[in-house]
Amino acid sequence: MSASTAAVPTANTNGNHALSLDSHSSQDVRRRTVVVAKKKASPELLAGGGINGVSEDKIASKKDLSHTIRGESVLDKPKYSSEARKDAVASAAAERRKKSSTKQEKAKLSKVEGFKKTTKMLQVQLDILDKKLGNEIDKTKRDITKQFEAKGNELEKKMKALENKTGKLDKSIAELRDMGFLSKKEFEEILSQLKEKKGLGGTDDDITLDDIRLYAKEIVEIEIAKHSADGLGMVDYALGSGGAKVVSHSESFMTGKNYIPGRSSVHGTAQKMLEPSFGQPGECFALKGSSGFVDVKLRTGIIPKAITLEHVDKSVAYDRSSAPKDFQVRGWYQGSQEGSDKDSNVMTALGEFSYNLDNSNAQTFQLERSANPRAVNMVRFEFSSNHGNSQLTCIYRFRVHGTESLP
């Protein structure tokens, strides 16, 4: 059958037109049929008055229906089937991806839940540990507080005991000071000597007020014995009754009938500075101004070792500003004696010192010593200042100590 024959419609008894197609034809045949049908339905065919006397409208109507039913349906079916398969495959893949994503989400949720449980367990353990540590710290704090309180109470008791002893000692010092025996510094020295005597090693334990009074009494007795032996227990080679005398001095504060300033004569009161005065106020040799000197000839030639300068005690003094302050001592040998170490009239510096009003009234100063000391029989006491009195300077007692030189 030719393509043109297959495309020509035939009339049936019902007046309907249909396309005769072999249902068993291949896909190519169907495609050609559609193409031929389209050609028959072209404007040229319709312009010739239709086909076999059939009107254009009917042919068009029949062609359109047949084309719709037998042509487009057949042609579009494979296309729809392929797209359906693609949609099914895509849907299946999406379903698989969705299931896989769901599994992953579940796995993640499971891990998160496990982490939460682990974290919660750790938090519980940390809370327990923190509570235990807190209890231990509180217990330690309580123990330390108790120890501090115990130590504090013990220290407070010791401080009170020390305050009581200090009060007793201060009272004793005041009593002894009122009695005129000693100053606070001297009492501290006495207390130190008493500790050493009793072997207490620097502590105040087992020292009673009676012990202090007894020891002070012993010291007073010793001092009285020393005073009877010229007060210091050392030989005084400048003692007036022993043969020493003042041979020269600077201008005296008081003038006398037998004293002419500027000449070699000596004031009548000068010798008082070489005699014991026992601290009587006014029993001194007064020189004019705040500087001056006194030359003393010793009872014999000696190797000088120390000098002692004495002023009236503060417990009986009216005014102590006239006491010498800064001074120096020089010595020489006047005359000629055998021996090369006794050069005549060569003055030697023996030391510079300062008299302190806060110390005892009789203060001893050690003289400078050389490798080859020289004997002297003359000593000069020269002061450059006093304790504030611009009119006069008083010397109550001047003593020189040493050892007699060999002939």
Side-chain angles (χ1 to χ4, degrees):
M1 183 183 296
S2 63
S4 62
T5 305
V8 176
T10 57
N12 57 15
T13 57
N14 295 327
N16 298 326
H17 299 280
L19 294 177
S20 175
L21 294 175
D22 188 0
S23 61
H24 298 285
S25 297
S26 65
Q27 185 175 1
D28 293 336
V29 176
R30 290 196 299 272
R31 291 177 180 173
R32 287 196 296 273
T33 302
V34 174
V35 172
V36 173
K38 288 181 179 179
K39 288 182 179 180
K40 290 299 181 176
S42 65
E44 292 81 359
L45 181 59
L46 295 176
I51 301 174
N52 297 329
V54 182
S55 66
E56 182 181 352
D57 296 335
K58 289 183 180 183
I59 290 172
S61 175
K62 293 295 184 178
K63 188 271 303 180
D64 292 338
L65 181 61
S66 176
H67 182 271
T68 302
I69 296 172
R70 300 299 299 273
E72 291 184 3
S73 298
V74 174
L75 289 174
D76 293 340
K77 185 176 179 181
K79 178 179 180 181
Y80 294 153
S81 299
S82 176
E83 290 178 355
R85 284 194 299 271
K86 289 180 180 180
D87 293 339
V89 171
S91 177
E95 186 67 23
R96 285 193 299 272
R97 287 194 298 271
K98 184 177 181 181
K99 289 181 179 180
S100 176
S101 177
T102 303
K103 289 181 180 180
Q104 291 178 358
E105 291 295 330
K106 289 182 178 179
K108 289 181 180 179
L109 290 173
S110 178
K111 289 182 179 179
V112 171
E113 291 295 330
F115 180 74
K116 286 182 178 180
K117 290 181 180 179
T118 303
T119 304
K120 188 174 182 180
M121 292 175 63
L122 290 175
Q123 185 63 42
V124 171
Q125 292 178 0
L126 287 174
D127 291 340
I128 295 172
L129 180 61
D130 185 64
K131 187 175 181 180
K132 288 183 178 180
L133 289 175
N135 293 335
E136 292 295 329
I137 291 172
D138 291 339
K139 183 180 178 182
T140 304
K141 286 182 178 179
R142 289 193 297 269
D143 293 341
I144 293 174
T145 302
K146 289 181 180 179
Q147 292 178 4
F148 271 111
E149 289 178 354
K151 293 291 184 181
N153 293 333
E154 183 178 355
L155 181 61
E156 186 177 358
K157 291 180 181 179
K158 290 184 177 180
M159 288 295 293
K160 287 182 178 179
L162 182 60
E163 287 177 358
N164 293 333
K165 288 186 177 181
T166 303
K168 291 180 180 179
L169 291 176
D170 289 340
K171 184 178 179 181
S172 300
I173 291 171
E175 291 177 354
L176 292 173
R177 187 186 297 113
D178 293 340
M179 294 170 65
F181 285 143
L182 71 169
S183 64
K184 182 177 181 180
K185 184 177 180 180
E186 291 170 334
F187 179 79
E188 290 175 351
E189 293 177 357
I190 292 173
L191 183 61
S192 177
Q193 294 172 4
L194 179 58
K195 292 176 185 177
E196 184 178 354
K197 181 179 179 181
K198 297 189 68 174
L200 297 178
T203 63
D204 293 334
D205 298 338
D206 300 329
I207 294 180
T208 64
L209 185 59
D210 292 336
D211 292 334
I212 296 172
R213 286 174 175 170
L214 181 61
Y215 191 67
K217 182 180 179 182
E218 293 177 1
I219 292 176
V220 169
E221 291 175 351
I222 293 172
E223 291 298 322
I224 292 174
K226 282 184 178 181
H227 226 288
S228 62
D230 205 21
L232 301 175
M234 294 184 290
V235 177
D236 177 18
Y237 289 93
L239 182 64
S241 60
K245 60 181 179 178
V246 175
V247 295
S248 179
H249 56 76
S250 59
E251 184 178 356
S252 174
F253 179 70
M254 295 179 292
T255 59
K257 294 180 180 181
N258 299 325
Y259 173 66
I260 301 175
R263 296 188 180 183
S264 60
S265 58
V266 178
H267 195 276
T269 60
Q271 200 67 8
K272 285 186 175 294
M273 62 175 285
L274 304 182
E275 299 174 355
S277 63
F278 292 95
Q280 295 298 321
E283 296 292 327
C284 68
F285 177 41
L287 296 174
K288 189 174 182 179
S290 59
S291 62
F293 73 92
V294 178
D295 291 336
V296 178
K297 184 176 181 179
L298 305 180
R299 67 180 301 273
T300 186
I302 63 170
I303 304 297
K305 293 184 177 181
I307 64 99
T308 298
L309 181 62
E310 183 176 349
H311 197 74
V312 65
D313 190 83
K314 59 185 177 181
S315 61
V316 295
Y318 302 112
D319 181 11
R320 303 181 75 202
S321 63
S322 62
K325 185 177 181 182
D326 299 316
F327 64 93
Q328 61 178 339
V329 179
R330 298 179 184 182
W332 69 97
Y333 198 93
Q334 188 179 64
S336 61
Q337 276 190 349
E338 295 179 0
S340 60
D341 61 339
K342 299 180 179 62
D343 295 334
S344 176
N345 300 323
V346 176
M347 190 175 291
T348 303
L350 301 178
E352 296 182 359
F353 312 98
S354 181
Y355 184 86
N356 190 345
L357 290 179
D358 293 330
N359 295 338
S360 61
N361 60 316
Q363 299 177 27
T364 300
F365 304 92
Q366 300 297 320
L367 301 178
E368 296 178 0
R369 297 183 183 183
S370 61
N372 297 311
R374 294 183 177 182
V376 300
N377 62 357
M378 297 290 296
V379 172
R380 169 171 287 189
F381 172 77
E382 185 174 1
F383 58 93
S384 58
S385 66
N386 60 23
H387 285 272
N389 195 320
S390 61
Q391 296 181 354
L392 73 158
T393 300
C394 289
I395 305 174
Y396 275 81
R397 177 105 185 255
F398 178 74
R399 285 174 266 191
V400 180
H401 315 289
T403 56
E404 294 186 23
S405 61
L406 296 175

